[in-house]
């Protein structure tokens, strides 16, 4: 396919990766971002072997490994019961997850975008897209592009509004503390309505020593009450569930240190329209239980670039990109819907079964290998479909 003029809407993980891949393939790329200065939102991410493969293809994996933290296990306890113990060693081809601050991954992708000279227009609040043109809140519009890539996430103005899931999470970026497994994502549960977690995220650019992402599950309709009540009662609740978090909690002195993240379940039936394709959370968004969001975004970006390489017409290229990704996306969307109530819900029966049935059974073969494959994102062989090495 000859070079195309492509607008990428959104400077998140999906948008930056897509812009970089398409630019390197010779397309004329312009990035549009609503913030005056592109910046990441959120805290910790777990980059799975699938996401690592895309970064490897971009020549960026080494910096991820240097800045992030290797994660070899996911461990969850409900009281004294170990109800979750996923080990990457159970994977046939091995591998680890990489815990990383979202800002770190943003920087890893943003630096080569800037160095490559890709045009970036900031302060552009997008309100619509028609016939290859983006429309902005100030009444202006762009020239006509051959293709618009919507990478603006689950709240993209170019897709139908989706109500958030009942539960979100509070996130904090803190100095690492003793008392935690250094290469594990650890979680503590009380039923399915109370969950705390600690994820090692390596040493971000803004830090001089290893950091941790601490998170706490919280219903979205209780966030305002949480802010009004103050930090002390919340700290008491976290410490009573997990006393080892005390050194982390001592670092939190201002509610502004905590970011509330909300989530939504949505999959567009048709992610392609005239001169438009949705990727990442704009196409498919889920709860964070399987930790696939950023990884899926990276895979989508690579599939789009591959479709444009393989096909002679734009319609065929977009169809190929969707074909390469649709099966795995549908599978993980289904799994996310099934598993979300297991870890984030107000029910009592499901967490009871989790703790007394699912926990013990999950430690037996072949469930150990199945869990590792699900968490690593390798179910459905998405890398083989894209010609990427595991």
């Amino acid at each position: 396919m000859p070079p195309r003029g492509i607008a990428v809407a959104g400077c998140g993980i999906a948008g930056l990766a897509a812009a970089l891949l398409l630019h390197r393939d010779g397309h004329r790329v312009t990035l549009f971002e609503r913030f005056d200065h592109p910046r990441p939102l959120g805290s910790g991410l777990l980059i799975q072997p699938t996401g690592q493969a895309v970064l490897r293809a971009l020549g960026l994996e080494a910096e991820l490994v240097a800045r992030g933290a290797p994660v070899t296990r996911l461990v969850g306890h409900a009281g004294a019961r170990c109800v979750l113990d996923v080990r990457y060693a159970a994977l046939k081809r091995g591998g680890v997850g990489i815990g990383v601050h979202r800002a770190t991954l943003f920087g890893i992708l943003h630096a080569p975008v800037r160095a490559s000279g890709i045009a970036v227009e900031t302060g552009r609040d997008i309100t619509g897209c028609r016939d290859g043109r983006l429309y902005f809140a100030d009444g202006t519009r762009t020239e006509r592009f051959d293709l618009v890539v919507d990478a603006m996430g689950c709240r993209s103005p170019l897709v139908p509004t989706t109500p958030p899931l009942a539960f979100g999470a509070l996130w904090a970026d803190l100095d690492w503390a003793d008392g935690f497994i250094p290469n594990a994502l650890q979680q503590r549960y009380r039923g399915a309505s109370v969950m705390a977690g600690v994820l090692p995220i390596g040493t971000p650019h803004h830090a001089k020593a290893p950091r941790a992402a601490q998170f706490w599950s919280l219903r979205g309709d209780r966030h305002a009450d949480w802010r009004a009540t103050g930090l002390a009662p919340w700290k008491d609740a976290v410490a009573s569930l997990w006393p080892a978090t005390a050194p982390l909690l001592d670092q939190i002195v201002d509610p502004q240190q905590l970011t509330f993240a909300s989530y939504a379940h949505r999959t567009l039936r048709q992610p392609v329209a005239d001169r438009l394709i949705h990727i990442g959370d704009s196409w498919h968004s889920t709860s964070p239980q399987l930790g696939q969001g950023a990884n899926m975004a990276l895979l989508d970006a690579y599939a789009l670039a591959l479709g444009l390489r393989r096909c002679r017409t734009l319609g065929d290229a977009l169809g190929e990109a969707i074909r390469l990704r649709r099966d795995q996306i549908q599978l993980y969307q289904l799994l996310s819907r099934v598993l979300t109530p297991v870890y984030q819900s107000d029910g009592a029966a499901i967490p009871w079964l989790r703790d007394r049935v699912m926990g013990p059974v999950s430690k037996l073969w072949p469930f150990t290998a199945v869990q590792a494959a699900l968490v690593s994102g390798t179910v459905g062989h998405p890398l083989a479909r894209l010609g990427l090495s595991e």
Side-chain angles (χ1 to χ4, degrees):
M1 182 178 295
R4 300 282 187 167
I6 300 177
V8 178
C11 274
I13 305 306
L16 291 171
L20 198 55
L21 286 161
L22 297 172
H23 172 79
R24 290 182 178 181
D25 284 349
H27 300 288
R28 302 180 300 276
V29 179
T30 304
L31 262 166
F32 294 88
E33 171 57 43
R34 69 186 178 96
F35 293 118
D36 290 332
H37 302 283
R39 58 187 175 89
L41 299 173
S43 183
L45 295 172
L46 192 53
I47 304 303
Q48 306 291 358
T50 50
Q52 294 168 39
V54 177
L55 294 172
R56 187 181 314 128
L58 284 165
L60 304 175
E61 183 188 28
E63 188 174 357
L64 172 74
V65 172
R67 284 288 177 183
V71 174
T72 61
R73 296 173 64 191
L74 279 66
V75 185
H77 284 82
R81 297 174 185 267
C82 180
V83 299
L84 179 71
D85 192 354
V86 181
R87 299 173 184 250
Y88 285 83
L91 294 170
K92 289 183 178 180
R93 297 178 181 269
V96 298
I98 302 292
V100 66
H101 195 287
R102 185 178 290 271
T104 301
L105 182 58
F106 174 88
I108 289 171
L109 290 163
H110 190 246
V113 164
R114 292 186 61 186
S116 67
I118 294 173
V120 180
E121 294 193 19
T122 58
R124 303 290 264 164
D125 189 1
I126 296 170
T127 57
C129 176
R130 292 189 301 275
D131 195 28
R133 292 186 173 92
L134 287 170
Y135 291 76
F136 305 104
D138 62 5
T140 62
R141 68 180 186 179
T142 65
E143 63 184 54
R144 179 178 293 168
F145 288 92
D146 296 311
L147 175 64
V148 173
V149 180
D150 174 17
M152 291 185 284
C154 65
R155 296 173 184 82
S156 168
L158 305 186
V159 299
T161 302
T162 304
L165 293 169
F167 280 84
L170 293 165
W171 286 86
D173 167 24
L174 306 165
D175 290 330
W176 182 260
D178 294 332
F180 302 100
I181 304 172
N183 60 347
L185 164 58
Q186 294 179 258
Q187 297 177 334
R188 293 291 186 275
Y189 319 111
R190 184 180 298 129
S193 60
V194 177
M195 176 175 67
V198 175
L199 169 70
I201 55 173
T203 306
H205 290 90
H206 63 267
K208 296 181 179 180
R211 305 279 283 180
Q214 182 179 11
F215 56 93
W216 174 262
S217 186
L218 183 68
R219 283 186 62 99
D221 57 8
R222 296 174 185 165
H223 184 216
D225 291 340
W226 173 86
R227 294 187 65 86
T229 303
L231 287 175
W234 171 74
K235 286 187 176 185
D236 290 342
V238 179
S240 67
L241 176 69
W242 197 355
T245 58
L248 298 176
L249 294 170
D250 288 343
Q251 300 176 46
I252 302 175
V253 297
D254 187 330
Q256 296 300 318
Q257 291 176 255
L258 291 149
T259 299
F260 181 74
S262 61
Y263 308 98
H265 270 307
R266 182 196 61 235
T267 306
L268 295 180
R269 291 185 178 181
Q270 182 50 268
V272 172
D274 180 36
R275 299 175 184 250
L276 173 66
I277 185 171
H278 306 276
I279 65 172
D281 283 355
S282 297
W283 175 9
H284 47 83
S285 59
T286 67
S287 77
Q289 300 309 318
L290 287 170
Q292 299 300 320
N295 301 282
M296 291 281 197
L298 289 167
L299 291 170
D300 288 356
Y302 195 86
L304 174 59
L306 199 58
L308 290 169
R309 292 174 200 164
R310 288 180 175 178
C311 301
R312 296 184 63 85
T313 70
L314 187 60
D316 288 345
L318 300 185
E320 175 71 356
I322 301 305
R323 183 191 68 81
L324 290 169
R325 296 291 301 127
R326 192 186 295 277
D327 289 349
Q328 196 218 17
I329 287 168
Q330 289 178 340
L331 173 62
Y332 273 86
Q333 294 294 92
L334 173 62
L335 290 170
S336 180
R337 287 186 180 275
V338 170
L339 290 174
T340 294
V342 177
Y343 296 100
Q344 286 190 313
S345 67
D346 289 319
I350 292 177
W352 187 91
L353 289 170
R354 176 198 68 197
D355 298 347
R356 289 162 178 80
V357 179
M358 292 173 58
V361 168
S362 68
K363 299 172 186 177
L364 304 175
W365 189 89
F367 297 103
T368 51
V370 171
Q371 285 185 132
L374 286 173
V375 167
S376 69
T378 55
V379 175
H381 307 290
L383 297 183
R385 283 174 172 263
L386 299 178
L388 291 168
S389 62
E390 293 189 18

